[in-house]
Amino acid sequence: MSDFRQLRVGDHISLLSGFPFSSDYFDQQEGTRLIRIRDLLDSEGETYYRGVFDSKWLVRHRDILIGMDGDFNIARWKGSEALLNQRILKADARSNGLIEQDFFFYWFGPLLLQIHNRTAATTVKHLSIKDVENAKGLFPNKAAQRRIAEILSTLDEAIEQTEALIAKHQRIKSGLMHDLFTRGVTPDGHLRPTREQAPDLYKESPLGWIPKEWEISQLGEVAEVNRGKFTIRPRNDLRFYGGQYPFIQTGDVSLANGRVLSTFSQTLNQSGLAVSRLFDEGTIMVTIAANIADTCVLGLPMCAPDSLVGVLPNKGQVSRFLQLCISRRKSWLEARAPQTAQKNINLEDLRPLLIPSPCQHEQEAIAAIYECVDFSLAESEQMVGKLRQQKYGLMHDFLTGRMRVNV
């Protein structure tokens, strides 16, 4: 790192502290958008200013902003022109400085986290402009800074594009879920015409309008519903653990996010199996405490505690379809939980749960269509995770001089 120079931020970066605009001129619809600390990360402020202001307080697209209260954040403004409110800093590279503005954005992020962690607070943490000005560090030459910033910016763009794709898939998934469970699928794999287009194809039911061929059943009529069992908690008696029988807990189900679960927290030995309940592969697991009605489908036989309920479909019923049905009724099940410190529901709440019952072939078709969208969403989420890991790894290597760039 012999070609790195130690620089003080304030000597090379100009910092403008926001103006205390009068709330008398705040508006929800008219005026110039005002940036408040809560708006930094999403760039979507909902407050406008109708008063007169100096143009030096205007923030433009991609300007670098630093939040000075609460959780300290550095962000690029992604919106259109807006006003710099108090307790926010705008950072601009000085024309004769040795720090590139885009490089500063990546360099200062990790340092800002360190400042946040060591800043004492009674209620809300406050960042001082002096904290930023006096920050020092080792910097490569400006050409190397520009190249590093280009590489990291390219990764940021890829992350943003993938996140936009995820948001699109989530919208598709939500709309598709509604259509699949109100219109169903014809034998050739297409959604039925809407009720407005073909009213004779539908009938009223306790769940609303559904295709005529469908029935409405209680969950306990189409599946075997049993509560998990494990009388000895892991932290109390370790003699039942460490064996060949997978043992899942509520957190495992929540993390599965409605998908097939093949991982597990712990294992039980033969003694543990004797005081537990083993659920078959294909069983739908439902959380009945904490995060009520989170679901997954078991990818292999597993044991579960009494905070989980196993729903094993009867012959002719499709696990993934029933799991989606239960997920759609999550808000209804949550409302059944008593308003106590620890919310929970009982089997008496699950067994009478009303669900639609198309034929097995249509259940399989609905589940398969949903799986396609869900798979695309999962792939995009994995891609974002990989891109973030790659970015943070490169940031560490570039900012510490471990890796050099070819300018």
Side-chain angles (χ1 to χ4, degrees):
M1 296 180 63
S2 58
D3 55 339
F4 277 57
R5 297 178 58 180
Q6 179 159 297
L7 304 174
R8 176 181 173 271
V9 167
D11 297 332
H12 305 272
I13 297 293
S14 173
L15 298 168
L16 177 64
S17 186
F19 185 79
F21 292 97
S22 173
S23 59
D24 293 341
Y25 297 95
F26 287 4
D27 196 284
Q28 298 300 311
Q29 295 179 330
E30 298 181 355
T32 305
R33 190 185 299 275
L34 187 72
I35 305 173
R36 309 177 82 168
I37 286 182
R38 62 173 181 255
D39 307 325
L40 277 187
L41 297 181
D42 58 15
S43 296
E44 295 181 355
E46 298 177 350
T47 304
Y48 295 83
Y49 183 74
R50 292 183 289 104
V52 178
F53 57 86
D54 190 315
S55 61
K56 80 174 188 177
W57 306 114
L58 277 175
V59 172
R60 294 174 175 83
H61 186 69
R62 288 188 64 78
D63 277 351
I64 295 174
L65 306 178
I66 301 171
M68 304 173 69
D69 286 340
D71 293 330
F72 306 154
N73 290 303
I74 183 169
R76 284 193 178 100
W77 181 249
K78 300 176 184 177
S80 55
E81 282 191 343
L83 291 172
L84 187 69
N85 196 28
Q86 60 184 338
R87 304 303 300 157
I88 300 175
L89 291 177
K90 185 174 80 164
D92 289 302
R94 299 183 187 276
S95 58
N96 60 345
L98 298 179
I99 300 179
E100 284 286 330
Q101 183 161 325
D102 287 341
F103 181 85
F104 172 76
F105 172 76
Y106 292 106
W107 176 86
F108 191 64
L111 181 61
L112 186 61
L113 180 60
Q114 293 178 22
I115 295 173
H116 179 273
N117 290 337
R118 69 170 181 253
T119 300
T122 52
T123 52
V124 178
K125 291 188 177 184
H126 299 286
L127 178 69
S128 164
I129 189 171
K130 292 295 184 183
D131 292 328
V132 184
E133 288 178 335
N134 293 329
K136 295 179 181 180
L138 296 173
F139 291 80
N141 62 63
K142 293 186 73 173
Q145 291 181 39
R146 282 193 292 270
R147 182 62 185 137
I148 290 171
E150 287 172 2
I151 294 171
L152 297 177
S153 293
T154 300
L155 281 169
D156 270 343
E157 290 174 8
I159 290 170
E160 289 178 8
Q161 291 171 2
T162 310
E163 286 175 338
L165 185 62
I166 289 173
K168 178 181 178 181
H169 280 157
Q170 286 174 333
R171 291 193 297 271
I172 292 173
K173 183 177 175 180
S174 178
L176 183 63
M177 184 78 135
H178 176 268
D179 287 342
L180 288 174
F181 284 85
T182 56
R183 295 165 57 186
V185 179
T186 59
D188 58 359
H190 295 92
L191 288 169
R192 286 183 179 82
T194 64
R195 187 168 66 87
E196 290 74 17
Q197 295 169 331
D200 57 308
L201 297 181
Y202 296 87
K203 66 181 180 182
E204 280 192 280
S205 78
L207 295 178
W209 290 91
I210 60 173
K212 277 187 175 180
E213 299 91 338
W214 292 14
E215 299 296 332
I216 297 294
S217 304
Q218 293 185 0
L219 184 62
E221 296 172 343
V222 296
E224 183 181 339
V225 182
N226 288 305
R227 190 166 183 167
K229 184 181 73 168
F230 197 64
T231 55
I232 309 298
R233 295 297 179 187
R235 60 182 178 273
N236 294 338
D237 198 333
L238 299 179
R239 61 182 170 166
F240 294 108
Y241 297 87
Q244 62 181 9
Y245 301 102
F247 181 68
I248 60 169
Q249 302 190 61
T250 299
D252 300 317
V253 176
S254 297
L255 287 173
N257 195 26
R259 299 182 176 124
V260 174
L261 178 68
S262 297
T263 58
F264 40 89
S265 296
Q266 302 187 53
T267 57
L268 300 180
N269 55 32
Q270 194 67 43
S271 298
L273 180 64
V275 295
S276 185
R277 174 174 279 120
L278 184 65
F279 292 97
D280 293 336
E281 177 182 348
T283 300
I284 305 154
M285 302 308 301
V286 185
T287 60
I288 58 173
N291 301 325
I292 293 171
D294 283 353
T295 59
C296 72
V297 178
L298 294 186
L300 66 160
M302 295 189 186
C303 298
D306 56 4
S307 59
L308 294 172
V309 166
V311 179
L312 181 62
N314 297 339
K315 185 176 181 181
Q317 303 294 322
V318 178
S319 291
R320 186 61 162 137
F321 176 81
L322 290 185
Q323 180 265 318
L324 293 172
C325 289
I326 298 169
S327 294
R328 275 179 58 81
R329 305 300 307 280
K330 180 178 175 69
S331 58
W332 185 88
L333 287 167
E334 287 177 329
R336 305 284 292 178
Q339 300 299 312
T340 58
Q342 174 72 22
K343 285 189 172 184
N344 59 79
I345 56 175
N346 300 310
L347 294 186
E348 291 73 22
D349 300 310
L350 268 175
R351 287 191 176 118
L353 183 70
L354 295 180
I355 59 171
S357 291
C359 68
Q360 182 178 352
H361 175 78
E362 191 168 355
Q363 288 185 34
E364 291 170 347
I366 289 172
I369 293 172
Y370 187 86
E371 286 279 358
C372 287
V373 176
D374 201 43
F375 180 76
S376 296
L377 181 59
E379 277 195 324
S380 299
E381 290 171 345
Q382 289 177 359
M383 178 60 71
V384 164
K386 290 178 181 178
L387 288 171
R388 287 202 180 107
Q389 287 180 349
Q390 185 179 4
K391 174 189 167 182
Y392 295 139
L394 285 175
M395 281 181 64
H396 176 268
D397 291 346
F398 285 147
L399 300 181
T400 58
R402 182 178 177 182
M403 181 184 294
R404 304 301 176 92
V405 293
N406 185 12
V407 179

